[in-house]
Amino acid sequence: MSNKMWGGRFGDKPDPIMEDINASIDFDRHLYRQDIAASKAHAAMLAKKGIITAQDAKRIAHGLDTILSEIEAGKFSFQRALEDIHMNVESRLAALIGPAAGRLHTARSRNDQVATDFRLWLRDAIGALDGRLAAYQRALAETALKHAATVMPGFTHLQPAQPVTFGHHLLAYVEMAARDRGRFADARGRLNESPLGAGALAGTSFPLDRAMTARALGFARPMANSLDAVSDRDFVLETLSACAITAVHLSRFAEEIVIWSSPLTGLVRLSDKFTTGSSMMPQKRNPDAAELVRAKTGRVFGALTALMMVMKGLPLAYQKDMQEDKEGAIDAVGALTLSLTAMTGMVRDLEPDVARMRQAAAEGFATATDLADWLVQALKLPFREAHHVTGRIVAKAAAAGVPLEKLPLETMQAVEPRITAAVYGVLSADKSVASRKVFGGTAPRNVSAAAKRWLKRLKTKA
Ligand code: ARG
């Protein structure tokens, strides 16, 4: 038997390999809820416009509701021979309600149908990701508030640079996550238009009310060009781009957790909840969750790159190539959701070693910039000269094997005779962070104010 959905001009069955390459039901079954909602909206509109009878529309809606509960109860049998979610649902509808089912596809193509379904699916996914990002921000801001004054080394080139506070470091990721949320919100705004009614590519001769279906599905408006509506996947690319940037942010933080929890730095400790042991080496506590967050970035990028390649050479309008948009995007959204949840858990779990952080902040002459700034402010040296003088003092401290704050005054005065004992007021890590009161700086007062501001914002907007 040829396909009952489109088999009119076909005599033969497809080759089995054709089914293997053509079927998308294994992944587009994720779209069942959106597919059913869009079909219900379409049927209601067809009835309202007198294109099908109210009777038939009612039967269709009822049948679709039954299918929804069958799928949710795990009682629906998805068939690969029926290719995709659209034909699986329609075929079951025919079995349930008979000939009225055949009227549902009036003035509709799978091309506008799938574009509609996937916009709806991504819109829901963006909503869920936004919720996870907010929870992640909240965990970061709460921990930041607790550690607004916990000094740690700040790095550039992974070399000790200047002391910062742990809270300040965590709030950097809150800011990044806020921009990630902004990118998702932008993507959502642009994707929220309805392709339904574009038909296969050219629109339809039936007097559809496209605004009605758009409204029913929560879209801002119907898409203005039928060819565009069925043939672009920029909404997937844009969402995946936002996913990719978010994944990069998570991956950088995951990498820091790996570094901080290594005994080589010993800056934080993860509990047993987020570490694993080794099957051979009994002493090991491995930060596997952080490593996997770092690795999952690859999948997200893979999905974006793959779809960019799929789309770049396609003429208008729909091409079957575009079916490849879903598998990667669904996987990427799943990977990012998991990563966000794991990172939120790790943020709540990690215990900074406050004493070790303070000690590390004092290593590596991290307050050398404070000394140079003091020379500029107290002695009015030009900064370049102050930099040079400080460099010579650091060399002496290194030779003596002491931190700057322990270097005798005479040793400093041997380099610059006008230095007074007041210099010791800027040389400790705590003094250093406290002095960075400029807007956006790491001073503990700034950090706790910023953390509180974030917590308030997250409470009102969550
Ligand atoms: N499963 C298809 C997809 O995801 C649905 C659209 C099929 N359209 C077609 N003309 N064959 O793209």
Short mmCIF file of all heavy atoms in Angstrom, two decimals, residues 131-144 174 181 344 347-348 454-455 458-459 461-462:
data_model
loop_
_atom_site.label_atom_id
_atom_site.label_comp_id
_atom_site.label_asym_id
_atom_site.label_seq_id
_atom_site.Cartn_x
_atom_site.Cartn_y
_atom_site.Cartn_z
N GLY A 131 13.77 30.65 33.01
CA GLY A 131 13.54 30.31 34.41
C GLY A 131 14.79 29.69 35.05
O GLY A 131 15.16 30.01 36.17
N ARG A 132 15.48 28.83 34.29
CA ARG A 132 16.71 28.21 34.81
C ARG A 132 17.81 29.25 34.98
O ARG A 132 18.59 29.19 35.92
CB ARG A 132 17.22 27.12 33.87
CG ARG A 132 16.23 26.05 33.56
CD ARG A 132 16.34 24.88 34.52
NE ARG A 132 15.27 23.95 34.20
CZ ARG A 132 15.22 22.70 34.61
NH1 ARG A 132 16.14 22.23 35.40
NH2 ARG A 132 14.21 21.94 34.25
N LEU A 133 17.87 30.17 34.03
CA LEU A 133 18.90 31.23 34.14
C LEU A 133 18.64 32.10 35.36
O LEU A 133 19.57 32.50 36.06
CB LEU A 133 18.91 32.08 32.86
CG LEU A 133 19.77 31.51 31.71
CD1 LEU A 133 19.37 32.13 30.37
CD2 LEU A 133 21.26 31.75 31.97
N ALA A 134 17.37 32.38 35.64
CA ALA A 134 17.04 33.20 36.81
C ALA A 134 17.42 32.47 38.10
O ALA A 134 17.97 33.08 39.03
CB ALA A 134 15.55 33.54 36.81
N ALA A 135 17.18 31.16 38.14
CA ALA A 135 17.54 30.39 39.34
C ALA A 135 19.06 30.37 39.53
O ALA A 135 19.57 30.47 40.65
CB ALA A 135 17.01 28.96 39.22
N TYR A 136 19.77 30.25 38.43
CA TYR A 136 21.24 30.28 38.45
C TYR A 136 21.74 31.64 38.97
O TYR A 136 22.60 31.72 39.84
CB TYR A 136 21.72 30.00 37.03
CG TYR A 136 23.19 30.18 36.74
CD1 TYR A 136 24.16 29.47 37.43
CD2 TYR A 136 23.60 31.05 35.71
CE1 TYR A 136 25.51 29.62 37.11
CE2 TYR A 136 24.94 31.19 35.39
CZ TYR A 136 25.89 30.49 36.09
OH TYR A 136 27.22 30.64 35.77
N GLN A 137 21.13 32.70 38.47
CA GLN A 137 21.51 34.05 38.93
C GLN A 137 21.25 34.21 40.43
O GLN A 137 22.04 34.79 41.16
CB GLN A 137 20.70 35.12 38.19
CG GLN A 137 21.13 35.35 36.76
CD GLN A 137 20.30 36.46 36.14
OE1 GLN A 137 19.08 36.36 36.07
NE2 GLN A 137 20.95 37.52 35.70
N ARG A 138 20.13 33.68 40.88
CA ARG A 138 19.77 33.81 42.29
C ARG A 138 20.80 33.08 43.16
O ARG A 138 21.25 33.62 44.17
CB ARG A 138 18.36 33.22 42.50
CG ARG A 138 17.55 34.01 43.52
CD ARG A 138 16.09 33.57 43.55
NE ARG A 138 15.36 33.97 42.37
CZ ARG A 138 14.72 33.14 41.54
NH1 ARG A 138 14.72 31.84 41.75
NH2 ARG A 138 14.08 33.61 40.49
N ALA A 139 21.18 31.88 42.76
CA ALA A 139 22.19 31.13 43.53
C ALA A 139 23.50 31.91 43.58
O ALA A 139 24.15 32.00 44.62
CB ALA A 139 22.40 29.75 42.91
N LEU A 140 23.88 32.47 42.43
CA LEU A 140 25.13 33.24 42.38
C LEU A 140 25.05 34.47 43.28
O LEU A 140 25.98 34.75 44.06
CB LEU A 140 25.41 33.70 40.94
CG LEU A 140 25.91 32.64 39.94
CD1 LEU A 140 25.77 33.16 38.51
CD2 LEU A 140 27.36 32.26 40.22
N ALA A 141 23.95 35.20 43.20
CA ALA A 141 23.84 36.45 43.96
C ALA A 141 23.77 36.18 45.45
O ALA A 141 24.34 36.92 46.26
CB ALA A 141 22.62 37.24 43.48
N GLU A 142 23.11 35.10 45.84
CA GLU A 142 23.05 34.77 47.28
C GLU A 142 24.44 34.42 47.82
O GLU A 142 24.83 34.88 48.89
CB GLU A 142 22.07 33.60 47.52
CG GLU A 142 20.63 34.07 47.56
CD GLU A 142 19.61 32.93 47.48
OE1 GLU A 142 19.99 31.76 47.69
OE2 GLU A 142 18.44 33.23 47.18
N THR A 143 25.17 33.62 47.05
CA THR A 143 26.54 33.27 47.47
C THR A 143 27.43 34.51 47.46
O THR A 143 28.28 34.69 48.33
CB THR A 143 27.11 32.16 46.56
OG1 THR A 143 26.12 31.15 46.40
CG2 THR A 143 28.36 31.54 47.16
N ALA A 144 27.22 35.37 46.49
CA ALA A 144 28.03 36.60 46.39
C ALA A 144 27.80 37.49 47.62
O ALA A 144 28.74 38.07 48.16
CB ALA A 144 27.68 37.37 45.12
N VAL A 174 26.62 36.72 37.08
CA VAL A 174 25.22 37.16 37.12
C VAL A 174 24.97 38.15 35.97
O VAL A 174 23.94 38.09 35.29
CB VAL A 174 24.89 37.82 38.48
CG1 VAL A 174 23.47 38.39 38.47
CG2 VAL A 174 25.05 36.81 39.61
N ARG A 181 19.94 36.18 29.09
CA ARG A 181 18.48 36.25 29.14
C ARG A 181 17.95 37.28 28.15
O ARG A 181 16.90 37.08 27.52
CB ARG A 181 18.00 36.57 30.56
CG ARG A 181 18.29 35.44 31.55
CD ARG A 181 17.88 35.80 32.96
NE ARG A 181 16.44 35.84 33.12
CZ ARG A 181 15.81 36.25 34.23
NH1 ARG A 181 16.51 36.67 35.28
NH2 ARG A 181 14.50 36.24 34.30
N THR A 344 23.83 25.57 38.79
CA THR A 344 23.11 26.15 39.92
C THR A 344 23.37 25.32 41.17
O THR A 344 23.65 25.85 42.25
CB THR A 344 21.61 26.22 39.61
OG1 THR A 344 21.44 26.92 38.38
CG2 THR A 344 20.83 26.93 40.70
N VAL A 347 26.96 25.92 42.38
CA VAL A 347 27.13 27.23 43.02
C VAL A 347 26.64 27.14 44.47
O VAL A 347 27.27 27.65 45.39
CB VAL A 347 26.37 28.33 42.27
CG1 VAL A 347 26.32 29.63 43.08
CG2 VAL A 347 27.02 28.59 40.91
N ARG A 348 25.51 26.47 44.66
CA ARG A 348 24.97 26.34 46.01
C ARG A 348 25.84 25.42 46.87
O ARG A 348 25.87 25.53 48.08
CB ARG A 348 23.53 25.79 45.97
CG ARG A 348 22.56 26.76 45.31
CD ARG A 348 21.12 26.55 45.77
NE ARG A 348 20.24 27.55 45.20
CZ ARG A 348 20.12 28.79 45.65
NH1 ARG A 348 20.83 29.18 46.71
NH2 ARG A 348 19.31 29.65 45.07
N TRP A 454 20.59 42.78 42.84
CA TRP A 454 20.24 41.65 41.98
C TRP A 454 19.15 40.79 42.62
O TRP A 454 18.20 40.38 41.96
CB TRP A 454 21.47 40.79 41.65
CG TRP A 454 22.14 41.27 40.41
CD1 TRP A 454 23.39 41.80 40.30
CD2 TRP A 454 21.58 41.28 39.10
NE1 TRP A 454 23.65 42.15 39.00
CE2 TRP A 454 22.56 41.84 38.23
CE3 TRP A 454 20.36 40.89 38.56
CZ2 TRP A 454 22.33 42.00 36.87
CZ3 TRP A 454 20.13 41.05 37.20
CH2 TRP A 454 21.11 41.60 36.37
N LEU A 455 19.31 40.52 43.93
CA LEU A 455 18.33 39.65 44.59
C LEU A 455 16.95 40.28 44.57
O LEU A 455 15.94 39.60 44.38
CB LEU A 455 18.79 39.33 46.02
CG LEU A 455 19.99 38.37 46.06
CD1 LEU A 455 20.57 38.26 47.47
CD2 LEU A 455 19.60 36.99 45.53
N LEU A 458 15.64 40.00 41.01
CA LEU A 458 15.28 38.61 40.67
C LEU A 458 14.01 38.19 41.37
O LEU A 458 13.26 37.35 40.88
CB LEU A 458 16.44 37.67 41.05
CG LEU A 458 17.66 37.82 40.14
CD1 LEU A 458 18.90 37.17 40.77
CD2 LEU A 458 17.40 37.20 38.76
N LYS A 459 13.76 38.78 42.54
CA LYS A 459 12.52 38.44 43.23
C LYS A 459 11.31 39.05 42.52
O LYS A 459 10.34 38.37 42.27
CB LYS A 459 12.58 38.96 44.68
CG LYS A 459 11.54 38.32 45.57
CD LYS A 459 11.66 38.77 47.03
CE LYS A 459 12.85 38.14 47.75
NZ LYS A 459 13.14 38.83 49.03
N LYS A 461 11.11 40.03 39.36
CA LYS A 461 10.93 39.61 37.97
C LYS A 461 10.70 38.12 37.80
O LYS A 461 10.25 37.68 36.76
CB LYS A 461 12.14 40.04 37.12
CG LYS A 461 12.09 41.47 36.69
CD LYS A 461 12.71 41.74 35.33
CE LYS A 461 13.88 40.86 34.97
NZ LYS A 461 14.60 41.26 33.78
N ALA A 462 11.06 37.34 38.84
CA ALA A 462 10.97 35.88 38.69
C ALA A 462 9.52 35.46 38.50
O ALA A 462 9.12 34.88 37.55
CB ALA A 462 11.55 35.20 39.90
#
